[in-house]
mmCIF file of all heavy atoms in Angstrom:
data_model
loop_
_atom_site.group_PDB
_atom_site.id
_atom_site.type_symbol
_atom_site.label_atom_id
_atom_site.label_comp_id
_atom_site.label_asym_id
_atom_site.label_seq_id
_atom_site.Cartn_x
_atom_site.Cartn_y
_atom_site.Cartn_z
ATOM 1 N N ARG A 1 4.230 -3.922 7.258
ATOM 2 C CA ARG A 1 3.889 -2.463 7.278
ATOM 3 C C ARG A 1 4.874 -1.755 6.419
ATOM 4 O O ARG A 1 6.096 -1.974 6.465
ATOM 5 C CB ARG A 1 3.979 -1.954 8.693
ATOM 6 C CG ARG A 1 3.616 -0.310 8.791
ATOM 7 C CD ARG A 1 3.726 0.200 10.169
ATOM 8 N NE ARG A 1 2.772 -0.393 11.122
ATOM 9 C CZ ARG A 1 3.169 -1.177 12.135
ATOM 10 N NH1 ARG A 1 4.444 -1.410 12.334
ATOM 11 N NH2 ARG A 1 2.200 -1.686 13.040
ATOM 12 N N THR A 2 4.313 -0.893 5.516
ATOM 13 C CA THR A 2 5.280 -0.194 4.598
ATOM 14 C C THR A 2 5.055 1.296 4.797
ATOM 15 O O THR A 2 4.020 1.819 5.169
ATOM 16 C CB THR A 2 4.930 -0.505 3.145
ATOM 17 O OG1 THR A 2 3.579 0.110 2.808
ATOM 18 C CG2 THR A 2 4.878 -1.888 2.836
ATOM 19 N N GLY A 3 6.136 1.994 4.688
ATOM 20 C CA GLY A 3 6.129 3.541 4.642
ATOM 21 C C GLY A 3 6.971 3.960 3.564
ATOM 22 O O GLY A 3 8.234 4.205 3.726
ATOM 23 N N LEU A 4 6.575 3.898 2.336
ATOM 24 C CA LEU A 4 7.291 4.219 1.064
ATOM 25 C C LEU A 4 6.842 5.397 0.397
ATOM 26 O O LEU A 4 5.563 5.719 0.300
ATOM 27 C CB LEU A 4 7.213 2.899 0.184
ATOM 28 C CG LEU A 4 7.748 1.674 0.747
ATOM 29 C CD1 LEU A 4 7.441 0.459 -0.245
ATOM 30 C CD2 LEU A 4 9.238 1.728 1.002
ATOM 31 N N ASP A 5 7.823 6.177 -0.306
ATOM 32 C CA ASP A 5 7.482 7.217 -1.216
ATOM 33 C C ASP A 5 7.795 6.727 -2.593
ATOM 34 O O ASP A 5 8.894 6.379 -2.877
ATOM 35 C CB ASP A 5 8.216 8.460 -0.779
ATOM 36 C CG ASP A 5 7.759 9.151 0.442
ATOM 37 O OD1 ASP A 5 6.455 9.101 0.635
ATOM 38 O OD2 ASP A 5 8.530 9.734 1.185
ATOM 39 N N VAL A 6 6.923 6.895 -3.497
ATOM 40 C CA VAL A 6 7.043 6.466 -4.946
ATOM 41 C C VAL A 6 7.040 7.739 -5.654
ATOM 42 O O VAL A 6 6.129 8.496 -5.810
ATOM 43 C CB VAL A 6 5.839 5.590 -5.334
ATOM 44 C CG1 VAL A 6 6.041 5.118 -6.787
ATOM 45 C CG2 VAL A 6 5.731 4.408 -4.469
ATOM 46 N N SER A 7 8.239 7.913 -6.282
ATOM 47 C CA SER A 7 8.432 9.127 -7.183
ATOM 48 C C SER A 7 8.027 8.675 -8.634
ATOM 49 O O SER A 7 8.476 7.639 -9.060
ATOM 50 C CB SER A 7 9.907 9.515 -7.103
ATOM 51 O OG SER A 7 10.240 9.954 -5.812
ATOM 52 N N LEU A 8 7.326 9.588 -9.296
ATOM 53 C CA LEU A 8 6.890 9.278 -10.709
ATOM 54 C C LEU A 8 7.803 9.924 -11.808
ATOM 55 O O LEU A 8 8.408 11.041 -11.539
ATOM 56 C CB LEU A 8 5.521 9.829 -10.817
ATOM 57 C CG LEU A 8 4.451 9.325 -9.790
ATOM 58 C CD1 LEU A 8 3.114 9.920 -10.075
ATOM 59 C CD2 LEU A 8 4.458 7.771 -9.718
ATOM 60 N N LEU A 9 7.845 9.249 -12.885
ATOM 61 C CA LEU A 9 8.788 9.843 -14.036
ATOM 62 C C LEU A 9 8.202 11.033 -14.584
ATOM 63 O O LEU A 9 8.991 12.084 -14.908
ATOM 64 C CB LEU A 9 8.785 8.666 -15.100
ATOM 65 C CG LEU A 9 9.718 7.448 -14.834
ATOM 66 C CD1 LEU A 9 9.644 6.469 -15.931
ATOM 67 C CD2 LEU A 9 11.159 7.863 -14.608
ATOM 68 N N ASN A 10 6.934 11.182 -14.801
ATOM 69 C CA ASN A 10 6.370 12.380 -15.517
ATOM 70 C C ASN A 10 5.796 13.389 -14.664
ATOM 71 O O ASN A 10 5.185 14.352 -15.198
ATOM 72 C CB ASN A 10 5.300 11.816 -16.525
ATOM 73 C CG ASN A 10 4.145 11.030 -15.804
ATOM 74 O OD1 ASN A 10 4.267 10.864 -14.584
ATOM 75 N ND2 ASN A 10 3.110 10.684 -16.562
ATOM 76 N N LYS A 11 5.994 13.255 -13.430
ATOM 77 C CA LYS A 11 5.442 14.321 -12.455
ATOM 78 C C LYS A 11 6.446 14.506 -11.344
ATOM 79 O O LYS A 11 7.155 13.489 -10.876
ATOM 80 C CB LYS A 11 4.134 13.895 -11.860
ATOM 81 C CG LYS A 11 2.968 13.819 -12.812
ATOM 82 C CD LYS A 11 1.630 13.436 -12.135
ATOM 83 C CE LYS A 11 0.514 13.282 -13.161
ATOM 84 N NZ LYS A 11 -0.769 12.904 -12.555
ATOM 85 N N SER A 12 6.647 15.710 -10.855
ATOM 86 C CA SER A 12 7.630 15.966 -9.794
ATOM 87 C C SER A 12 6.913 15.901 -8.445
ATOM 88 O O SER A 12 6.928 16.751 -7.652
ATOM 89 C CB SER A 12 8.171 17.378 -10.039
ATOM 90 O OG SER A 12 7.159 18.322 -9.974
ATOM 91 N N VAL A 13 6.263 14.716 -8.223
ATOM 92 C CA VAL A 13 5.555 14.414 -6.980
ATOM 93 C C VAL A 13 5.857 13.102 -6.422
ATOM 94 O O VAL A 13 6.362 12.177 -7.256
ATOM 95 C CB VAL A 13 3.957 14.615 -7.228
ATOM 96 C CG1 VAL A 13 3.635 16.037 -7.498
ATOM 97 C CG2 VAL A 13 3.510 13.615 -8.213
ATOM 98 N N ASN A 14 5.649 12.918 -5.141
ATOM 99 C CA ASN A 14 5.796 11.571 -4.595
ATOM 100 C C ASN A 14 4.427 11.090 -4.168
ATOM 101 O O ASN A 14 3.585 11.806 -3.573
ATOM 102 C CB ASN A 14 6.691 11.713 -3.318
ATOM 103 C CG ASN A 14 8.115 12.000 -3.716
ATOM 104 O OD1 ASN A 14 8.613 11.721 -4.786
ATOM 105 N ND2 ASN A 14 8.851 12.582 -2.697
ATOM 106 N N VAL A 15 4.190 9.831 -4.440
ATOM 107 C CA VAL A 15 2.895 9.124 -4.131
ATOM 108 C C VAL A 15 3.134 8.198 -2.849
ATOM 109 O O VAL A 15 4.074 7.353 -3.016
ATOM 110 C CB VAL A 15 2.441 8.371 -5.244
ATOM 111 C CG1 VAL A 15 1.094 7.707 -4.830
ATOM 112 C CG2 VAL A 15 2.157 9.275 -6.478
ATOM 113 N N PRO A 16 2.541 8.442 -1.702
ATOM 114 C CA PRO A 16 2.858 7.502 -0.528
ATOM 115 C C PRO A 16 2.316 6.139 -0.833
ATOM 116 O O PRO A 16 1.193 6.009 -1.296
ATOM 117 C CB PRO A 16 2.252 8.276 0.577
ATOM 118 C CG PRO A 16 1.149 9.128 -0.082
ATOM 119 C CD PRO A 16 1.625 9.430 -1.411
ATOM 120 N N LEU A 17 3.056 5.265 -0.248
ATOM 121 C CA LEU A 17 2.478 3.835 -0.218
ATOM 122 C C LEU A 17 2.610 3.419 1.170
ATOM 123 O O LEU A 17 3.616 2.797 1.654
ATOM 124 C CB LEU A 17 3.288 2.887 -1.192
ATOM 125 C CG LEU A 17 2.866 1.360 -1.162
ATOM 126 C CD1 LEU A 17 1.530 1.216 -1.613
ATOM 127 C CD2 LEU A 17 3.785 0.536 -2.087
ATOM 128 N N ASN A 18 1.518 3.606 1.942
ATOM 129 C CA ASN A 18 1.427 3.285 3.371
ATOM 130 C C ASN A 18 0.333 2.236 3.573
ATOM 131 O O ASN A 18 -0.814 2.586 3.666
ATOM 132 C CB ASN A 18 1.157 4.467 4.268
ATOM 133 C CG ASN A 18 2.265 5.571 4.087
ATOM 134 O OD1 ASN A 18 3.451 5.250 4.038
ATOM 135 N ND2 ASN A 18 1.814 6.881 3.993
ATOM 136 N N VAL A 19 0.800 0.947 3.614
ATOM 137 C CA VAL A 19 -0.177 -0.152 3.720
ATOM 138 C C VAL A 19 0.298 -1.128 4.798
ATOM 139 O O VAL A 19 1.478 -1.071 5.197
ATOM 140 C CB VAL A 19 -0.441 -0.905 2.355
ATOM 141 C CG1 VAL A 19 -1.013 -0.001 1.362
ATOM 142 C CG2 VAL A 19 0.952 -1.490 1.858
ATOM 143 N N SER A 20 -0.605 -1.962 5.308
ATOM 144 C CA SER A 20 -0.298 -2.928 6.329
ATOM 145 C C SER A 20 -1.179 -4.117 6.102
ATOM 146 O O SER A 20 -2.245 -4.023 5.586
ATOM 147 C CB SER A 20 -0.508 -2.423 7.760
ATOM 148 O OG SER A 20 -1.882 -2.045 7.967
ATOM 149 N N LEU A 21 -0.647 -5.268 6.626
ATOM 150 C CA LEU A 21 -1.330 -6.533 6.417
ATOM 151 C C LEU A 21 -1.526 -7.181 7.925
ATOM 152 O O LEU A 21 -0.408 -7.274 8.611
ATOM 153 C CB LEU A 21 -0.618 -7.564 5.553
ATOM 154 C CG LEU A 21 -1.268 -8.882 5.311
ATOM 155 C CD1 LEU A 21 -2.600 -8.774 4.633
ATOM 156 C CD2 LEU A 21 -0.283 -9.850 4.572
ATOM 157 N N ASN A 22 -2.640 -7.542 8.143
ATOM 158 C CA ASN A 22 -3.048 -8.232 9.444
ATOM 159 C C ASN A 22 -2.383 -7.446 10.656
ATOM 160 O O ASN A 22 -1.725 -7.908 11.548
ATOM 161 C CB ASN A 22 -2.327 -9.667 9.563
ATOM 162 C CG ASN A 22 -2.952 -10.555 8.456
ATOM 163 O OD1 ASN A 22 -4.049 -10.327 7.908
ATOM 164 N ND2 ASN A 22 -2.284 -11.580 8.155
ATOM 165 N N ASP A 23 -2.844 -6.082 10.651
ATOM 166 C CA ASP A 23 -2.454 -5.275 11.802
ATOM 167 C C ASP A 23 -3.540 -5.378 12.885
ATOM 168 O O ASP A 23 -4.632 -4.763 12.591
ATOM 169 C CB ASP A 23 -2.259 -3.806 11.330
ATOM 170 C CG ASP A 23 -1.615 -2.894 12.368
ATOM 171 O OD1 ASP A 23 -1.498 -3.314 13.507
ATOM 172 O OD2 ASP A 23 -1.269 -1.737 11.921
ATOM 173 N N VAL A 24 -3.256 -5.934 13.996
ATOM 174 C CA VAL A 24 -4.290 -6.249 14.981
ATOM 175 C C VAL A 24 -3.894 -5.749 16.379
ATOM 176 O O VAL A 24 -2.779 -5.534 16.733
ATOM 177 C CB VAL A 24 -4.688 -7.753 15.111
ATOM 178 C CG1 VAL A 24 -5.126 -8.278 13.735
ATOM 179 C CG2 VAL A 24 -3.342 -8.527 15.585
ATOM 180 N N ARG A 25 -4.963 -5.397 17.147
ATOM 181 C CA ARG A 25 -4.801 -5.135 18.554
ATOM 182 C C ARG A 25 -5.606 -6.102 19.373
ATOM 183 O O ARG A 25 -6.642 -6.601 19.000
ATOM 184 C CB ARG A 25 -5.306 -3.700 18.804
ATOM 185 C CG ARG A 25 -4.648 -2.612 18.052
ATOM 186 C CD ARG A 25 -3.220 -2.397 18.479
ATOM 187 N NE ARG A 25 -2.533 -1.271 17.821
ATOM 188 C CZ ARG A 25 -1.925 -1.421 16.693
ATOM 189 N NH1 ARG A 25 -1.789 -2.533 16.051
ATOM 190 N NH2 ARG A 25 -1.287 -0.345 16.098
ATOM 191 N N ALA A 26 -5.227 -6.377 20.597
ATOM 192 C CA ALA A 26 -5.825 -7.315 21.425
ATOM 193 C C ALA A 26 -7.183 -6.870 21.741
ATOM 194 O O ALA A 26 -7.552 -5.614 21.973
ATOM 195 C CB ALA A 26 -4.975 -7.548 22.775
ATOM 196 N N PRO A 27 -8.250 -7.858 21.873
ATOM 197 C CA PRO A 27 -8.094 -9.269 21.550
ATOM 198 C C PRO A 27 -8.549 -9.571 20.114
ATOM 199 O O PRO A 27 -9.693 -9.706 19.908
ATOM 200 C CB PRO A 27 -8.939 -9.973 22.607
ATOM 201 C CG PRO A 27 -10.135 -8.939 22.684
ATOM 202 C CD PRO A 27 -9.507 -7.488 22.407
ATOM 203 N N ARG A 28 -7.588 -9.638 19.230
ATOM 204 C CA ARG A 28 -7.912 -9.958 17.841
ATOM 205 C C ARG A 28 -6.859 -10.772 17.182
ATOM 206 O O ARG A 28 -5.715 -10.989 17.734
ATOM 207 C CB ARG A 28 -8.141 -8.732 17.050
ATOM 208 C CG ARG A 28 -9.376 -7.836 17.475
ATOM 209 C CD ARG A 28 -9.586 -6.755 16.403
ATOM 210 N NE ARG A 28 -9.786 -7.275 15.073
ATOM 211 C CZ ARG A 28 -9.743 -6.616 13.929
ATOM 212 N NH1 ARG A 28 -9.569 -5.199 14.016
ATOM 213 N NH2 ARG A 28 -9.985 -7.111 12.764
ATOM 214 N N SER A 29 -7.221 -11.349 16.056
ATOM 215 C CA SER A 29 -6.226 -12.126 15.231
ATOM 216 C C SER A 29 -6.694 -11.905 13.849
ATOM 217 O O SER A 29 -7.769 -11.685 13.458
ATOM 218 C CB SER A 29 -6.250 -13.552 15.669
ATOM 219 O OG SER A 29 -7.416 -14.229 15.422
ATOM 220 N N ALA A 30 -5.673 -12.206 12.869
ATOM 221 C CA ALA A 30 -5.945 -12.223 11.410
ATOM 222 C C ALA A 30 -5.007 -13.133 10.734
ATOM 223 O O ALA A 30 -3.903 -13.286 11.139
ATOM 224 C CB ALA A 30 -5.818 -10.748 10.950
ATOM 225 N N GLU A 31 -5.469 -13.683 9.490
ATOM 226 C CA GLU A 31 -4.608 -14.683 8.843
ATOM 227 C C GLU A 31 -4.718 -14.406 7.314
ATOM 228 O O GLU A 31 -4.602 -15.367 6.474
ATOM 229 C CB GLU A 31 -5.085 -16.153 9.139
ATOM 230 C CG GLU A 31 -4.983 -16.480 10.628
ATOM 231 C CD GLU A 31 -5.274 -17.831 10.906
ATOM 232 O OE1 GLU A 31 -5.583 -18.647 9.934
ATOM 233 O OE2 GLU A 31 -5.360 -18.222 12.051
ATOM 234 N N LYS A 32 -4.834 -13.204 6.891
ATOM 235 C CA LYS A 32 -5.007 -12.889 5.389
ATOM 236 C C LYS A 32 -3.498 -13.088 4.875
ATOM 237 O O LYS A 32 -2.542 -12.649 5.512
ATOM 238 C CB LYS A 32 -5.481 -11.492 5.267
ATOM 239 C CG LYS A 32 -5.619 -11.160 3.774
ATOM 240 C CD LYS A 32 -6.203 -9.695 3.625
ATOM 241 C CE LYS A 32 -6.434 -9.418 2.183
ATOM 242 N NZ LYS A 32 -6.918 -7.974 2.057
ATOM 243 N N THR A 33 -3.429 -13.786 3.685
ATOM 244 C CA THR A 33 -2.094 -14.156 3.145
ATOM 245 C C THR A 33 -1.612 -13.331 1.912
ATOM 246 O O THR A 33 -0.614 -13.578 1.366
ATOM 247 C CB THR A 33 -2.084 -15.636 2.788
ATOM 248 O OG1 THR A 33 -3.161 -15.940 1.813
ATOM 249 C CG2 THR A 33 -2.234 -16.411 4.119
ATOM 250 N N THR A 34 -2.508 -12.371 1.384
ATOM 251 C CA THR A 34 -2.141 -11.541 0.244
ATOM 252 C C THR A 34 -2.561 -10.104 0.579
ATOM 253 O O THR A 34 -3.494 -9.852 1.332
ATOM 254 C CB THR A 34 -2.841 -12.070 -0.997
ATOM 255 O OG1 THR A 34 -4.347 -11.926 -0.805
ATOM 256 C CG2 THR A 34 -2.513 -13.468 -1.340
ATOM 257 N N LEU A 35 -1.715 -9.222 -0.077
ATOM 258 C CA LEU A 35 -2.072 -7.794 0.088
ATOM 259 C C LEU A 35 -1.976 -7.191 -1.332
ATOM 260 O O LEU A 35 -0.838 -7.221 -1.939
ATOM 261 C CB LEU A 35 -1.156 -7.088 1.000
ATOM 262 C CG LEU A 35 -1.268 -5.607 1.163
ATOM 263 C CD1 LEU A 35 -2.614 -5.184 1.575
ATOM 264 C CD2 LEU A 35 -0.062 -5.040 2.067
ATOM 265 N N THR A 36 -3.014 -6.607 -1.870
ATOM 266 C CA THR A 36 -3.045 -6.017 -3.132
ATOM 267 C C THR A 36 -3.551 -4.581 -2.980
ATOM 268 O O THR A 36 -4.433 -4.310 -2.212
ATOM 269 C CB THR A 36 -3.996 -6.738 -4.052
ATOM 270 O OG1 THR A 36 -3.560 -8.034 -4.269
ATOM 271 C CG2 THR A 36 -3.988 -6.109 -5.463
ATOM 272 N N THR A 37 -2.955 -3.611 -3.717
ATOM 273 C CA THR A 37 -3.330 -2.242 -3.621
ATOM 274 C C THR A 37 -3.157 -1.623 -5.019
ATOM 275 O O THR A 37 -2.677 -2.233 -6.053
ATOM 276 C CB THR A 37 -2.414 -1.491 -2.598
ATOM 277 O OG1 THR A 37 -3.020 -0.239 -2.387
ATOM 278 C CG2 THR A 37 -1.010 -1.312 -3.059
ATOM 279 N N THR A 38 -3.596 -0.306 -5.081
ATOM 280 C CA THR A 38 -3.396 0.428 -6.350
ATOM 281 C C THR A 38 -2.868 1.760 -5.971
ATOM 282 O O THR A 38 -3.035 2.420 -4.938
ATOM 283 C CB THR A 38 -4.837 0.607 -7.000
ATOM 284 O OG1 THR A 38 -5.749 1.286 -6.145
ATOM 285 C CG2 THR A 38 -5.398 -0.718 -7.321
ATOM 286 N N LEU A 39 -2.140 2.394 -6.979
ATOM 287 C CA LEU A 39 -1.739 3.726 -6.920
ATOM 288 C C LEU A 39 -2.155 4.373 -8.343
ATOM 289 O O LEU A 39 -1.762 3.917 -9.400
ATOM 290 C CB LEU A 39 -0.103 3.836 -6.748
ATOM 291 C CG LEU A 39 0.377 3.442 -5.442
ATOM 292 C CD1 LEU A 39 2.008 3.538 -5.478
ATOM 293 C CD2 LEU A 39 -0.217 4.305 -4.244
ATOM 294 N N ASP A 40 -2.929 5.453 -8.205
ATOM 295 C CA ASP A 40 -3.499 6.043 -9.454
ATOM 296 C C ASP A 40 -2.574 6.282 -10.568
ATOM 297 O O ASP A 40 -2.893 6.012 -11.703
ATOM 298 C CB ASP A 40 -4.245 7.353 -9.084
ATOM 299 C CG ASP A 40 -5.502 7.115 -8.138
ATOM 300 O OD1 ASP A 40 -5.994 5.957 -8.122
ATOM 301 O OD2 ASP A 40 -5.861 7.958 -7.475
ATOM 302 N N ALA A 41 -1.367 6.796 -10.332
ATOM 303 C CA ALA A 41 -0.478 7.160 -11.391
ATOM 304 C C ALA A 41 0.608 6.036 -11.737
ATOM 305 O O ALA A 41 1.479 6.306 -12.598
ATOM 306 C CB ALA A 41 0.250 8.426 -10.923
ATOM 307 N N VAL A 42 0.401 4.955 -11.167
ATOM 308 C CA VAL A 42 1.369 3.758 -11.391
ATOM 309 C C VAL A 42 0.613 2.719 -12.227
ATOM 310 O O VAL A 42 -0.377 2.239 -11.841
ATOM 311 C CB VAL A 42 1.874 3.287 -10.071
ATOM 312 C CG1 VAL A 42 2.811 2.053 -10.369
ATOM 313 C CG2 VAL A 42 2.616 4.353 -9.289
ATOM 314 N N ASP A 43 1.218 2.464 -13.382
ATOM 315 C CA ASP A 43 0.709 1.357 -14.257
ATOM 316 C C ASP A 43 -0.754 1.531 -14.556
ATOM 317 O O ASP A 43 -1.515 0.627 -14.553
ATOM 318 C CB ASP A 43 0.971 0.037 -13.579
ATOM 319 C CG ASP A 43 0.759 -1.122 -14.538
ATOM 320 O OD1 ASP A 43 0.859 -0.896 -15.816
ATOM 321 O OD2 ASP A 43 0.593 -2.370 -14.164
ATOM 322 N N GLY A 44 -1.080 2.795 -14.836
ATOM 323 C CA GLY A 44 -2.514 3.104 -15.312
ATOM 324 C C GLY A 44 -3.511 2.853 -14.114
ATOM 325 O O GLY A 44 -4.674 2.726 -14.461
ATOM 326 N N GLY A 45 -3.095 2.829 -12.895
ATOM 327 C CA GLY A 45 -3.991 2.675 -11.821
ATOM 328 C C GLY A 45 -4.550 1.249 -11.619
ATOM 329 O O GLY A 45 -5.396 1.041 -10.935
ATOM 330 N N ARG A 46 -3.801 0.283 -12.227
ATOM 331 C CA ARG A 46 -4.198 -1.106 -12.046
ATOM 332 C C ARG A 46 -3.618 -1.648 -10.704
ATOM 333 O O ARG A 46 -2.556 -1.228 -10.258
ATOM 334 C CB ARG A 46 -3.670 -1.926 -13.222
ATOM 335 C CG ARG A 46 -4.405 -1.738 -14.599
ATOM 336 C CD ARG A 46 -3.932 -2.732 -15.646
ATOM 337 N NE ARG A 46 -2.559 -2.414 -16.170
ATOM 338 C CZ ARG A 46 -2.423 -1.731 -17.259
ATOM 339 N NH1 ARG A 46 -3.450 -1.113 -17.855
ATOM 340 N NH2 ARG A 46 -1.204 -1.387 -17.722
ATOM 341 N N PRO A 47 -4.464 -2.615 -10.241
ATOM 342 C CA PRO A 47 -3.892 -3.147 -8.948
ATOM 343 C C PRO A 47 -2.598 -3.972 -9.129
ATOM 344 O O PRO A 47 -2.353 -4.519 -10.228
ATOM 345 C CB PRO A 47 -5.099 -4.196 -8.538
ATOM 346 C CG PRO A 47 -6.236 -3.779 -9.357
ATOM 347 C CD PRO A 47 -5.724 -3.106 -10.606
#
């Protein structure tokens, strides 16, 4: 689980990065092994 603020060079704003992997509640399970995301203003919006 992440709770990150990403500050950009060319804008005086923060872009939140709030993501989680395999966040489950009973009765469940998960086994995903990768997490990929995108931020519009970071690296041209590429994943």
